[in-house]
Amino acid sequence: MRATGRLTGRARREMRLSLSLVPPNVVVTLFAGGAWAGIFFAAESRARWPMPFSITAAVVPFVVADFSYYWEHRCAHRVGWLWRLYHATHHSSPDYTVATAYRVSFLNQALSPAFYLPWVLLGVPAILVLAFQLACFHYQAWLHTEKIGRLPLLDAWLNTPANHRIHHSTAARHQDRNMGAVLMIWDRLFGTYAAPEPGLSYGIAGRDPPTRWWDIYLQPWSAPPRP
């Protein structure tokens, strides 16, 4: 990616391609976020077992949001139409930089909050579920780098750059691994954890990386279903 300490032209083009998805993502997120906030607060008024709002009780909303992120992410990998509709977008880059973190389809935040809604119906405060859902999403930004190596005290139980690099690896043994948001507990519980390794390649195995922004959205629909 770098030659004599500088970004190559190809790497700069790849970063620009990733960042080209930011404007539509921001616009749709603002509109969808407002709609989902209305749905969440309406659901809260019908909650089965309302939980008193308390900052000290925030551990429960954090854990359930992290749990929901894991299952939304796992479904986005294993449910073919979700993979093609929005999640293949994020995996389409052959590079692994902070810009890759922002290669996100505008449909991601339009659909993913549905996985968090059941907790509000059960009684978890809507504002905290929304806050931690966004926190889990934005936590991903610092994970997309090869400049941070192993973090031995954190890698075992938290999502770190070393763990998330495995998630983006094209190696067959790494497919659908390390799908947690902040915690690696769910991956360990449900058998999807893989320890960090060096020497990885990134992108979608067997597919050429897209070179135009519209191909990022359209290319997954021309691919065969994932195994």
Side-chain angles (χ1 to χ4, degrees):
M1 174 179 156
R2 290 175 180 266
T4 63
R6 301 178 63 184
L7 283 172
T8 64
R10 189 204 62 80
R12 287 195 295 270
R13 287 193 298 273
E14 192 64 30
M15 293 175 73
R16 287 195 297 269
L17 188 60
S18 291
L19 295 175
S20 71
L21 272 62
V22 172
N25 196 15
V26 169
V27 171
V28 173
T29 296
L30 289 173
F31 283 99
W36 276 112
I39 292 170
F40 272 50
F41 287 115
E44 184 178 53
S45 67
R46 296 166 174 79
R48 184 69 179 83
W49 299 287
M51 178 187 299
F53 179 88
S54 170
I55 298 300
T56 58
V59 64
V60 172
F62 166 70
V63 171
V64 300
D66 197 74
F67 180 78
S68 292
Y69 182 100
Y70 171 84
W71 282 106
E72 182 274 323
H73 197 180
R74 187 165 177 174
C75 287
H77 274 257
R78 299 309 303 159
V79 179
W81 66 271
L82 288 178
W83 169 258
R84 291 176 166 185
L85 192 63
Y86 68 85
H87 198 59
T89 295
H90 181 59
H91 283 266
S92 62
S93 176
D95 289 348
Y96 192 81
T97 67
V98 173
T100 310
Y102 298 96
R103 185 179 286 215
V104 178
S105 170
F106 61 88
L107 292 172
N108 188 89
Q109 285 295 87
L111 299 175
S112 60
F115 286 80
Y116 302 77
L117 183 59
W119 300 111
V120 179
L121 290 168
L122 288 175
V124 182
I127 189 67
L128 292 179
V129 174
L130 287 167
F132 282 118
Q133 188 255 332
L134 288 173
C136 286
F137 180 80
H138 290 290
Y139 178 85
Q140 310 306 304
W142 82 284
L143 303 178
H144 294 78
T145 179
E146 294 187 295
K147 296 303 178 183
I148 299 175
R150 296 287 300 273
L151 301 173
L153 298 179
L154 302 178
D155 289 335
W157 300 105
L158 295 179
N159 202 4
T160 60
N163 278 325
H164 202 62
R165 286 193 287 269
I166 293 295
H167 180 72
H168 279 260
S169 168
T170 58
R173 66 184 178 280
H174 296 151
Q175 183 173 305
D176 305 339
R177 300 290 181 175
N178 298 357
M179 290 184 280
V182 179
L183 305 175
M184 287 287 99
I185 293 173
W186 316 119
D187 286 285
R188 290 186 174 276
L189 281 176
F190 300 113
T192 55
Y193 180 74
E197 296 179 23
L200 303 175
S201 297
Y202 308 106
I204 299 175
R207 301 291 293 180
D208 293 329
T211 57
R212 301 169 298 186
W213 67 264
W214 57 87
D215 287 332
I216 298 178
Y217 297 114
L218 298 178
Q219 191 183 71
W221 296 99
S222 65
R226 299 186 75 210

